[in-house]
């Protein structure tokens, strides 16, 4: 299957700090999606990106669809304790392909 | 976006038995997807279920082990058959939204002992 390389694998940050994570692939995708998964829950969509170069914000979250269509990044500004969770990138080409996730821990 | 109800939310099962997971959507959808998430891992697509046709399975997953039903446009079931401890995972159903990406159920946490 398609490989999505998501990094970093985990992050430990202080409340108020900014966070950046990214996903790269050797394949082109039509859509990039970013999800957050809390313990015991299914993934919840944060941001969807549909066009190469697109930059989209959702509150403190900003994501971009890479110009080559092979990568995407997600930034979280001024992190808060409830940002804790696992963040997954997903590329869509017919079906979804998921990255391995970034485990975010926020210290108060 | 669609609201998905998935049952059971968790179960502990004896090896060799089978468990059927139900997924109910609050709107009609063409395709429903079943995923497996092994402990600490990402999501792996098991199969895609269209109403009125056989499910399409991904490489490494077979119908005898993971039979799927899709009797109508709002409901699907996934059965995990003849379970072994290696089947301990979170199983998730998902549907494609009209605009906002894919929506997931809250998952079924399965432990096989």
């Amino acid at each position: 299957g398609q490989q999505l390389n998501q990094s970093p694998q985990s992050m430990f940050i202080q409340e108020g700090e900014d966070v950046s994570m990214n996903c790269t692939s050797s394949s082109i995708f039509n859509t990039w999606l970013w999800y957050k998964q809390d313990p015991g829950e299914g993934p919840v969509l944060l941001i969807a990106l549909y066009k190469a170069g697109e930059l989209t914000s959702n509150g403190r979250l900003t994501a971009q669809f890479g110009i080559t269509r092979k990568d995407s990044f997600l930034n979280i500004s001024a992190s808060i304790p409830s940002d804790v969770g696992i963040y997954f990138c997903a590329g869509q080409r017919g079906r979804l392909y998921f990255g391995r996730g970034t485990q975010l821990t926020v210290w108060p | 976006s669609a609201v998905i109800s998935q049952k059971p939310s968790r179960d502990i099962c004896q090896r060799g038995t089978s468990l059927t997971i139900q997924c109910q959507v609050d709107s009609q959808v063409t395709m429903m997807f079943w995923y497996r998430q092994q402990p600490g891992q990402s999501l792996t697509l098991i199969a895609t279920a269209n109403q009125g046709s056989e499910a399409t399975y991904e490489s490494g997953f077979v119908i005898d082990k993971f039979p799927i039903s899709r009797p109508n446009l709002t409901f699907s079931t996934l059965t995990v058959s003849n379970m072994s401890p290696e089947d301990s995972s979170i199983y998730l159903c998902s549907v494609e939204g009209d605009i906002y990406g894919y929506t997931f159920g809250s998952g079924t946490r399965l432990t096989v002992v």
Side-chain angles (χ1 to χ4, degrees), chain B residues 90-101:
Chain B
I90 301 172
Y91 292 86
L92 297 141
C93 67
S94 174
V95 302
E96 184 175 8
D98 48 1
I99 301 175
Y100 300 113

Side-chain angles (χ1 to χ4, degrees), chain A residues 33 35 37 40-43 45 50 88 92 94-96 98-100, chain B residues 35 37 41-43 45 58 92 96 99-102 104-106 109:
Chain A
L33 306 166
Y35 286 88
Q37 186 176 28
E41 299 293 326
L45 182 67
Y50 298 102
F88 289 100
Q92 181 182 3
R95 47 157 288 189
L96 283 188
F98 281 86
R100 297 178 65 86
Chain B
Y35 288 84
Q37 186 177 25
Q41 300 297 314
S42 186
L43 285 76
L45 182 64
E58 297 297 310
L92 297 141
E96 184 175 8
I99 301 175
Y100 300 113
Y102 291 72
F104 286 84
S106 57
R109 186 178 296 271

